[in-house]
Amino acid sequence: QVHIVESGGGLVQPGGSLRLSCKASGITRDYYFVTWFRQAPGKKREGVACISSDGDTKYYSDSVKDRFTISRDNALNAVYLQMNSLKPEDTAVYYCAADEVVLASTWDWIYEYDYWGQGTQVTVSS
């Protein structure tokens, strides 16, 4: 059974940084993509950043490009999201999702993903 757990959320001031962690277990395939999504109150869940198993392929949404960095450590089955220069509009619940096949044109579609974590809250406020 696949189990995904996110951690690292919290309250941070505008301009600050946070690093989110996503740990997956029970995925039997060696090759799978991991994507961070977020959902703010009253808004749709949106894709933030995606990374392939080997780390060679990464996708970012325009809203976080140049501020967020996704990375992974396969030895620990972990994926990280380093978030810098945080803004109040980054406030959301951040979710980690995984799947074996992700297309460049649809990496940020929630329907691409079979496995999801429960989310971690990120609040950016002074």
Side-chain angles (χ1 to χ4, degrees), residues 25-70:
S25 60
I27 296 180
T28 57
R29 296 287 295 271
D30 290 334
Y31 194 90
Y32 60 94
F33 288 79
V34 175
T35 295
W36 284 98
F37 286 81
R38 67 184 181 186
Q39 188 166 18
K43 295 191 175 181
K44 293 182 181 178
R45 193 169 297 190
E46 62 171 350
V48 174
C50 173
I51 188 167
S52 60
S53 271
D54 56 13
D56 287 346
T57 300
K58 299 178 184 180
Y59 306 114
Y60 293 94
S61 69
D62 289 342
S63 60
V64 307
K65 201 178 299 183
D66 300 327
R67 298 189 298 122
F68 291 8
T69 302
I70 191 169

Side-chain angles (χ1 to χ4, degrees), residues 8 10-20 67-68 81-87 122 124:
L11 173 65
V12 63
Q13 292 187 342
S17 298
L18 276 178
R19 190 176 85 149
L20 304 184
R67 298 189 298 122
F68 291 8
L81 186 68
Q82 177 66 43
M83 306 187 296
N84 299 328
S85 303
L86 283 160
K87 305 175 181 180
V122 171
V124 185

Side-chain angles (χ1 to χ4, degrees), residues 4 6 20-22 24 27 32-38 45-53 57-61 70-72 79-81 94-103 106-110 112-113 115-117:
I4 295 178
E6 304 94 336
L20 304 184
S21 298
C22 167
I27 296 180
Y32 60 94
F33 288 79
V34 175
T35 295
W36 284 98
F37 286 81
R38 67 184 181 186
R45 193 169 297 190
E46 62 171 350
V48 174
C50 173
I51 188 167
S52 60
S53 271
T57 300
K58 299 178 184 180
Y59 306 114
Y60 293 94
S61 69
I70 191 169
S71 61
R72 69 190 295 164
V79 172
Y80 306 101
L81 186 68
Y94 283 70
Y95 298 90
C96 189
D99 210 289
E100 292 93 350
V101 178
V102 169
L103 302 178
T106 57
W107 71 267
D108 56 348
W109 289 14
I110 61 173
E112 285 277 4
Y113 298 87
Y115 310 117
W116 290 85

